[in-house]
Amino acid sequence: MNVTETGKEYITTMVGDKSGKLKVLLLDGETTPIVSMCTTQSSLLQNEVYLIDRIDNPNREKQRHLACIVFIRPSNDSIAKLCEELRNPRYASYELYFSNVVKKSQLERLAESDDYEVVKKVQESFADFLAVNKDLFNFSLTRNSLSIYSDGGWNPECLNRCTESLQAVLLGLKLRPQIRYDANSNMARKLAEELAYGIKQEENLFNFKTPRDSAPVLLILDRKNDPLTPLLTPWSYQAMVHEFIGIDNNRVDLRNTPEIRDELKEIVLSQNDDPFFADNMYHNFGDLGQSIKDYVSHYQSKTQSNMDIESIADMKRFVEEYPEFRRLSGNVSKHVTLVGELSRIVEKGQHLDVSELEQTLVCSDSHNDSLKQIQQIIAAPSISMENKVRLVALYGLRYEQKDNNSLKLLCEMLGQYEGQDAVQAAQAVINFACLAQRQEALFEEGFIAKAKGNIMGLKGIQNVYTQHRPLLEKTLTNLVKNKLREATHPYVRGAGRGPVSNNGVYEDDVQEVVVFIVGGVTYEEARLIAEINSQSSVRIVLGGTSIVNSGEFIQECLDQNHRGLLRGADPETRLRQLI
Amino acid sequence: MRKKRVIGTKVEPVKEPKVVQTSAAPTPPPPPTPPVVSTASPGPESHSATSLTCPICEETMLTLMQLNRHIDDVHGDGKVKGKTRASSEKPHTKPRPTDEMVTRRHWKHPGPGQTCHYPDCKRKLGARNGSRHCRHCGNIFCHGHSRYRMKLSRDAHHQPKGGIWCWVCKTCYTGREGYNDTTGTERDLTQEFKKKRQAKIDIQELSVNKLENRLRRLAEESIENESSGPWWKPKAAVTASVPWQEDSTQPNCPECQVKFTFLIRPHHCRVCGKVVCGQTSTQCSLPVGVNILINSLDMKEEFSDTIPTDCEPIRICMTCKNTVFGRRNFQRDVNSDPSELLKLYNTMTHLTTSIENMMPRFQKELEETIASKKMAGMHPKDILAASKLRKRLLDTFSQLDSAARRVGALEGLSPTEERIQQQIYTAAVSFLQEKMLPLKTLPKVLGSEATAPEPAKPRPPANYKALQQQLVVMEEQRFMVENMMLEAKQRRKYDELGPLEMSVKDLDKEIEILRKRLGDEAFV
């Protein structure tokens, strides 16, 4: 249950065969990021891969002494390119690897193109996912400004892609799961059913040798049931970087940072080959500051010890440790720059103030105070439009049921200060995830909640900025305890459940879970999963159509809204009712 | 043929062809009765024995008692009970399995003041931290390290199917089969692919052969014409091999779609007979000289020395050329001499593999040397072997280094080759940096050893040798540090330059001293 390792293992089997021949690796648009996230240039070099190219690059030179390894997604486009390549081979021999199931017809086309018998091996290696952390993957479906929504449901192309890739994830992890989904989401249900059908079609592939103690569970959720997590400002390292700067396939673009050095314009943040990041990716901003301070002083002591070289023995030690030291120095400057940039952005955008208000809105019940503060913030010129939109959206979601709420007033104010676009964005979010769309309570209301709040007040809140816990936590706790109700998370039709004991309780433990969130997953949820994984015996892997931050989430809501696809009434009328 | 046989034997035509086919096989299938007779022949007892098989797993049994026992033991709580449960619909008849059914004979006895058995967990067992036996290994753990559950059989082995859920420790939980398996599913389609390809290749080969034969004939004819007939009528002879397409049927060239005009004339491919244009710019068809043809068709032996130089060239269209010569050309390219870059790369691979082979041997020697150093008795022979190996390794390293340099110095490469060149160079440099480090520990060991055994009479040669070795090491290090400085400069890491420069200075000083002491012998 480790997606990065699985991906790495796949790549290793592809390039690992040492023949003493120079190798070229041919990729397509889909597999390039997959390979780049799983492996490094130097490990490819060790395996004699000296050239990496794209199959859709028509200007490749003939190198008929090189052995070629092709790794592509079997899309029609890539297969056509590969056929062309085989008909007029540029390299001496070919090994073909596909990231997903190859259709019979595609295989036939390839076989017919191979006139010179250059193909030595054909294999399906199911690495059709982007492994971000060891327990987090995504499909980056929204990468090419593609929307997964279309006409009240899935964009068919995306649904297809999603089903295939999710199937590849299951094959990679060797799981044949029971599939459960959010009952109120058509998209989750559709994906679950397609996937169940797909698994049935590939019965042979899903026939794994090592039996499991209990059936794994695949839980397909819909983003609309928890709009809060992507809207709130996150404060753990990885999540912050994505929220404030943006992570794209583990790469961070720092070109817009003032006074940036050339080599730091694009940096890689990967759990695998960056020990500092692996240790601190889930730490919050405060702890992070401390760790980075320690890291720098560690580096300084190293430099100091390198400065006073007095004997030959010192020198020898120095030469031996130097490569390690150089790596360390690169890493230190990377993280110092990144954390510096983060704190600059946080300070400039007054994100701490905004975040405090967000948490109060979501976690406690103080309507009038919150309203006043939101109004102040909307009027403040130094705060970005996005933050204001988020606050208004949160207010709308939080006090949706309150009679005579002031959403209309806030919207008017937002329009006055930031323009109609902002109002539209806020309304899109509220439309996307309003009470009618959700199936579970996000906010605790009534007597018990108040009592709880009082107790919390007595104990004192640990951290004002991270009070909110994602809905996913509750769902998973219930799932592991076998208490997740079938009314909210039913099984795919036809696929039954394991043994039931006498008193009607399921006996089997849940030990392996794959969670997939349609509409995007957040790094904050990834942090939660890592926490659960380290603290209990259950193993969870989290995935999503993409990894969203608040900006991307709002954009997605807008995408969906523009196509007028909410169930029931059209958004305009719904909104009028709302306000 | 099959039809004939069917009629001959007067088998009804309705009969499935498969049956006919099998009957057409040279040896008729043996009648089904003999085996039964043969098994029955030894005696009636053995016959009854063969009929006693387990209805579930089909294992043969000798006696009825054994079969009963087998069914109870092996299929006791599995399928058989499942069947009865399904038929009777009374779930409460089956007691719920608890982990008390799993054997506890292997449990360890708790001692006074015992701590959790998990490595590095020092917690004391008791009411506070909990105390629980792992049902799998029998050791006792604190709560934190025994909150895992796994299915076990009654004799406490892991049994995913039909086992009983039991508490186990973390070690057993994470150590079970498949837990740390990160290899994903793969499916090999090579066979299927090859089968599909073969069908196409067979047809392809036929057509290639056909065209090739025609071409051979054409070449032969062309040569004969030249040697025997007058030069103005070769056409009739050449056309004979394939009917020519009428000019009027093709207003355009099928390859480049150009319209035939007075200037762009239609030509005929002599191999397939089709009409194509003869423009030199598109190369839809080209007249190929006979001697070139003979060369590339490997017909040299047939016309050892009588190839006339000026016989009529043969016009071949693009399609035919690709069909006939494509594969040949490809094979020729693959088998052709590799470029300078690739040759160097091959030598480098040889060197790296020999280094990788030598390395473990060397390390073993080194360990032995260190071990024997700790023991009082010291064998100079060991040191000698180790330093010999070290010398060979160093030689190989320097060879690799020079090969890498030669790769780096290559010029006039195509852009792709340049990219490869750069990659090879970086790979070699990182290999050198990584592998040469352990080599440095040797002089420390050898150096102190080489002088230690014979302190009484410091013979000059021995001393010289040690000093020389030191000098070599120093120069090596100086070279490496200089390299690092260059790199640091390139990366603009000026903060690293300070210590590096200082170390170079130190090294220079040391080298100077050594040189002075060695005098003329320094350059050996």
Side-chain angles (χ1 to χ4, degrees), chain A residues 407-408 411 420-421 423-432 434 437 557-558 560-579:
Chain A
L407 183 60
K408 197 177 172 186
C411 282
Q420 279 311 301
D421 281 355
V423 182
Q424 238 176 31
Q427 284 168 345
V429 176
I430 298 168
N431 272 345
F432 175 68
C434 59
Q437 298 290 333
C557 294
L558 274 169
Q560 207 209 27
N561 228 31
H562 274 305
R563 287 156 220 228
L565 13 111
L566 290 188
R567 264 187 290 162
D570 68 295
E572 293 275 307
T573 44
R574 258 213 67 82
L575 227 131
R576 237 167 273 140
Q577 284 167 2
L578 257 172
I579 296 175

Side-chain angles (χ1 to χ4, degrees), chain B residues 96-206:
Chain B
R96 192 161 168 243
T98 60
D99 70 353
E100 276 164 31
M101 292 176 181
V102 175
T103 180
R104 298 187 165 184
R105 244 173 281 159
H106 62 300
W107 281 22
K108 302 277 187 303
H109 288 294
Q114 192 164 358
T115 51
C116 172
H117 190 264
Y118 192 76
D120 295 335
C121 174
K122 295 274 177 278
R123 253 171 262 164
K124 271 202 172 174
L125 298 176
R128 189 145 161 254
N129 295 319
S131 159
R132 193 189 267 153
H133 280 90
C134 167
R135 268 55 170 173
H136 188 243
C137 64
N139 290 312
I140 316 171
F141 295 88
C142 68
H143 259 314
H145 289 120
S146 63
R147 63 196 155 100
Y148 303 89
R149 298 225 299 163
M150 189 160 105
K151 274 183 173 173
L152 297 182
S153 64
R154 275 152 207 265
D155 49 356
H157 289 298
H158 184 209
Q159 187 190 354
K161 273 185 187 157
I164 303 162
W165 283 109
C166 294
W167 293 109
V168 293
C169 67
K170 194 174 178 183
T171 321
C172 293
Y173 184 74
T174 53
R176 69 190 157 153
E177 194 191 353
Y179 187 86
N180 292 316
D181 180 17
T182 50
T183 51
T185 316
E186 285 167 346
R187 181 158 64 178
D188 200 331
L189 299 173
T190 317
Q191 290 312 318
E192 200 179 328
F193 180 84
K194 279 189 175 158
K195 217 189 271 169
K196 283 182 175 158
R197 179 174 70 184
Q198 201 50 47
K200 167 88 191 292
I201 293 286
D202 288 345
I203 300 169
Q204 176 91 5
E205 255 168 26
L206 272 181

Side-chain angles (χ1 to χ4, degrees), chain A residues 135-136 282 472 476 515 521 523-535 538-542:
Chain A
D135 44 17
L136 177 66
Y282 303 127
L472 186 61
L476 283 175
V515 182
V521 54
Y523 279 112
E524 198 58 25
E525 281 154 334
R527 191 191 59 79
L528 173 78
I529 296 294
E531 192 182 301
I532 297 177
N533 277 338
S534 68
Q535 284 173 1
V538 63
R539 291 196 289 177
I540 308 174
V541 169
L542 179 67

Side-chain angles (χ1 to χ4, degrees), chain A residues 15 80 93 96 99 136 150 157 184 213 224 235 261-262 392 543:
Chain A
V15 299
S93 66
L96 312 183
S99 67
L136 177 66
S150 153
E157 191 189 328
N184 69 332
D213 281 17
K224 70 181 178 189
W235 292 106
R261 276 186 291 170
D262 269 355
V392 174

Side-chain angles (χ1 to χ4, degrees), chain A residues 6-53:
Chain A
T6 307
K8 209 187 258 177
E9 201 91 18
Y10 273 133
I11 309 289
T12 315
T13 43
M14 276 175 223
V15 299
D17 182 25
K18 288 220 170 180
S19 58
K21 248 191 169 177
L22 268 175
K23 285 182 226 165
V24 48
L25 184 61
L26 271 191
L27 304 169
D28 67 0
E30 301 280 354
T31 51
T32 312
I34 292 173
V35 171
S36 80
M37 285 178 87
C38 289
T39 184
T40 56
Q41 183 91 23
S42 57
S43 79
L44 284 179
L45 271 182
Q46 268 169 17
N47 286 309
E48 299 165 335
V49 176
Y50 288 95
L51 192 65
I52 300 166
D53 218 324

Side-chain angles (χ1 to χ4, degrees), chain B residues 144-295:
Chain B
H145 289 120
S146 63
R147 63 196 155 100
Y148 303 89
R149 298 225 299 163
M150 189 160 105
K151 274 183 173 173
L152 297 182
S153 64
R154 275 152 207 265
D155 49 356
H157 289 298
H158 184 209
Q159 187 190 354
K161 273 185 187 157
I164 303 162
W165 283 109
C166 294
W167 293 109
V168 293
C169 67
K170 194 174 178 183
T171 321
C172 293
Y173 184 74
T174 53
R176 69 190 157 153
E177 194 191 353
Y179 187 86
N180 292 316
D181 180 17
T182 50
T183 51
T185 316
E186 285 167 346
R187 181 158 64 178
D188 200 331
L189 299 173
T190 317
Q191 290 312 318
E192 200 179 328
F193 180 84
K194 279 189 175 158
K195 217 189 271 169
K196 283 182 175 158
R197 179 174 70 184
Q198 201 50 47
K200 167 88 191 292
I201 293 286
D202 288 345
I203 300 169
Q204 176 91 5
E205 255 168 26
L206 272 181
S207 73
V208 169
N209 274 344
K210 194 174 77 188
L211 293 183
E212 207 179 297
N213 283 337
R214 265 188 215 163
L215 206 52
R216 276 166 196 274
R217 225 158 43 226
L218 282 170
E220 279 164 23
E221 274 173 26
S222 172
I223 290 165
E224 271 165 32
N225 279 347
E226 183 57 36
S227 45
S228 60
W231 59 271
W232 58 85
K233 41 180 252 200
K235 230 175 179 177
V238 174
T239 48
S241 61
V242 58
W244 278 17
Q245 196 179 19
E246 278 299 317
D247 285 7
S248 53
T249 55
Q250 282 286 355
N252 299 57
C253 168
E255 298 280 336
C256 64
Q257 307 305 330
V258 72
K259 200 167 162 54
F260 292 126
T261 59
F262 183 72
L263 285 174
I264 302 169
R265 300 305 306 160
H267 292 275
H268 286 92
C269 168
R270 305 301 195 263
V271 183
C272 62
K274 286 204 178 106
V275 178
V276 274
C277 75
Q279 293 181 96
T280 42
S281 56
T282 56
Q283 298 202 330
C284 292
S285 73
L286 280 176
V288 183
V290 173
N291 42 358
I292 298 174
L293 272 183
I294 285 171
N295 260 341

Side-chain angles (χ1 to χ4, degrees), chain B residues 23 126 352 376 427 438:
Chain B
S23 72
T352 24

Side-chain angles (χ1 to χ4, degrees), chain A residues 10 22 52 61 64 112 114-115 122 124 171 174 213 299 322 329 507-509 511 535 537, chain B residues 96 147-149 151 158 165 181 185 187-189 197 200 333 342 414 416 419 484 495-496:
Chain A
Y10 273 133
L22 268 175
I52 300 166
E61 283 174 54
R64 283 190 170 163
E112 282 186 6
D114 187 16
D115 287 343
V122 184
E124 287 163 343
L171 283 169
K174 292 191 183 154
D213 281 17
Y299 170 70
Y322 185 72
S329 98
E507 308 187 305
D508 265 359
D509 285 14
Q511 296 194 326
Q535 284 173 1
S537 66
Chain B
R96 192 161 168 243
R147 63 196 155 100
Y148 303 89
R149 298 225 299 163
K151 274 183 173 173
H158 184 209
W165 283 109
D181 180 17
T185 316
R187 181 158 64 178
D188 200 331
L189 299 173
R197 179 174 70 184
K200 167 88 191 292
D333 276 359
L342 288 175
S414 64
T416 317
R419 271 166 69 195
M484 285 173 180
D495 49 335
E496 289 165 14

